């Protein structure tokens, strides 16, 4: 992996962490957790999927622990939600939008990290989906909610699967770059949000 | 580990994965999840215990991710349950039987994989039990059920513990083979089902 | 790490395991689990945080599996609670006290093990907090309770965070020894129990 490519990957990953962290803080606000509870739930959601991914890849301690940059998004998300969104009524819509943003980026970075670690394409797609849905599943289990993942009227894993497959194909064919990555993220985000609106 | 032995072990492991996957799909059917929710719950249950086992053994990425063969049982189980069992009334009995089959095989393969990785006999038994009960615990937590594991009127961990101890003794004494493995699996299965019927 | 130092660390870790195990067995008694359910919940709580810690550090199989000494505290705690505390009415107070003891010791040992494995100070503090709150979070999720960690009127993570930061500073400045370790543990314990009493 070239330097510039790994910087793009880190940027996408941190943006995904931020989106998931906001979704965690919004759920914490809806459940009337205090600011520390909000920070904890934001951290579990936003870092959980990536920690699971890095543990499965088995290439040393997870990035969330070794690179302090990963701690900034949950801190920032907690402060933003606490001061800006605490009076917002439409928690659910916002939560779904930020969650969809995290899902769109994590299915890409999870798949790429797996391929970069030498896993086969099928395993890379599986790990991309696991990374993308893992954080949200941890959020819902930890906060004692019914996981969005299992809502029979909604599509959650399918957009992540589509994004992971597209990323794998782009990566194998050498067509993966910042532009195609943005296109995949947009497709997954639109797919997820449309599925939610039409349920 | 000789070639033929590792093939037997892989076969037992895949059979255990299939049994647990059916139990996950049956629970998904009872909770009226759709087919994607069924596939996800089947995957969490059937691959979760083995992923935990392989992460603890620390010998690289879990088999469920590196060997695509592990993806066949949850797919097959989901399709079978969706088309064959969707009209079945006695979900609970079937779920317990398939779960018992998974438990019987996973306490054997978990213990053997641990010994093969050089862990001491006590650790191998502990990992055998963890592997066997891990998937079912993940299934019940994910689907927001009270874990079978903690039902005070039922025995769940004890059959797995018995199977892990028997497997460890057979392995240490060199008496482990396809026949004795089958006997241990039959004992654990009978123990578990009898405990459930007499509760 | 010198020999005597690692013995102190092992002792602190085993004591923390014992405290958390008692908290697990007390919760099991309150939920009317039988003795096997009690042993399982005690094991999940007391060994869970350390297993997560060792998996994240990525230095081979977790100590709970490789060192049989770690199995003694949950066994001892289960037997003690079963025969001594089964008629106790004030489960909650006792549970909080033992949980606070585990929290006080695990934020120290988690931070030290991370620094010893070469992680940076920020990561070490994060891992110390994760180790300390991980077991209790697993206990509450497994037993279907609302996690203490998220109680908005209570402070749970903050004492662990304070203890991890103090341990990191003592370790970096070379001032960590049995006496300062005891002082940190006493501060964290007092902080946690005071927070709980004043809620």
């Amino acid at each position: 992996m070239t330097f510039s490519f790994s910087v793009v990957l880190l940027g996408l990953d941190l943006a995904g962490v931020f989106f998931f962290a906001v979704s965690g803080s919004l759920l914490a606000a809806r459940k009337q957790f205090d600011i520390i509870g909000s920070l904890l739930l934001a951290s579990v959601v936003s870092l959980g999927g990536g920690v699971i991914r890095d543990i499965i890849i088995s290439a040393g301690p997870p990035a969330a622990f070794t690179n302090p940059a990963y701690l900034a998004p949950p801190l920032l998300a907690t402060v933003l939600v606490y001061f800006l969104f605490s009076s917002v009524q439409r928690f659910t819509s916002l939560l779904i939008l930020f969650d969809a943003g995290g899902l769109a980026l994590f299915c890409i970075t999870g798949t790429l990290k797996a391929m970069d670690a030498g896993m086969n394409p099928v395993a890379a797609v599986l790990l991309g989906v696991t990374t993308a849905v893992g954080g949200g599943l941890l959020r819902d289990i930890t906060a004692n909610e019914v996981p969005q993942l299992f809502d029979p009227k909604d599509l959650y894993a399918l957009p992540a699967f589509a994004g992971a497959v597209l990323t794998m194909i782009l990566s194998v064919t050498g067509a993966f770059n910042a532009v195609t990555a943005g296109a995949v993220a947009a497709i997954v985000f639109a797919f997820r949000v449309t599925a939610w609106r039409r349920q």
Side-chain angles (χ1 to χ4, degrees), chain A:
Chain A
M1 193 181 284
T2 62
F3 174 70
S4 64
F5 180 71
S6 74
V7 166
V8 169
L9 187 54
L10 180 63
L12 289 176
D13 210 32
L14 287 173
V17 169
F18 176 73
F19 289 141
F20 272 130
V22 172
S23 83
S25 288
L26 286 170
L27 182 59
R30 198 172 72 192
K31 304 208 95 174
Q32 304 190 291
F33 291 177
D34 63 347
I35 195 168
I36 294 177
S38 176
L39 176 60
L40 289 167
L41 195 58
S43 304
V44 166
V45 180
S46 63
L47 305 177
V51 167
I52 293 173
R53 175 196 65 204
D54 293 349
I55 286 173
I56 287 173
I57 287 177
S58 299
F65 283 88
T66 54
N67 185 347
Y70 279 88
L71 304 182
L75 280 168
L76 184 63
T78 303
V79 171
L80 279 177
V81 170
Y82 198 76
F83 291 107
L84 296 182
F85 294 138
S86 58
S87 59
V88 165
Q89 292 302 309
R90 300 186 55 205
F91 279 135
T92 306
S93 306
L94 266 181
L95 196 162
I96 296 286
L97 290 179
F98 277 97
D99 183 78
L103 192 77
L105 295 176
F106 269 30
C107 65
I108 297 174
T109 59
T111 305
L112 282 183
K113 283 219 176 182
M115 298 208 67
D116 195 50
M119 292 177 105
N120 66 60
V122 174
V125 167
L126 188 63
L127 196 60
V129 176
T130 303
T131 306
V133 307
L137 188 59
L138 283 176
R139 176 191 60 217
D140 297 338
I141 289 175
T142 309
N144 235 357
E145 297 273 296
V146 177
Q148 278 182 45
L149 185 58
F150 293 116
D151 185 337
K153 288 175 297 183
D154 201 2
L155 296 177
Y156 191 86
L158 215 55
F161 179 72
V165 169
L166 286 173
T167 302
M168 184 269 285
I169 292 172
L170 290 173
S171 176
V172 167
T173 58
F176 188 88
N177 55 48
V179 176
T180 52
V184 172
I187 291 169
V188 175
F189 182 82
F191 186 178
R192 167 70 191 124
V193 174
T194 307
W196 174 70
R197 285 187 176 279
R198 297 183 66 124
Q199 72 179 110

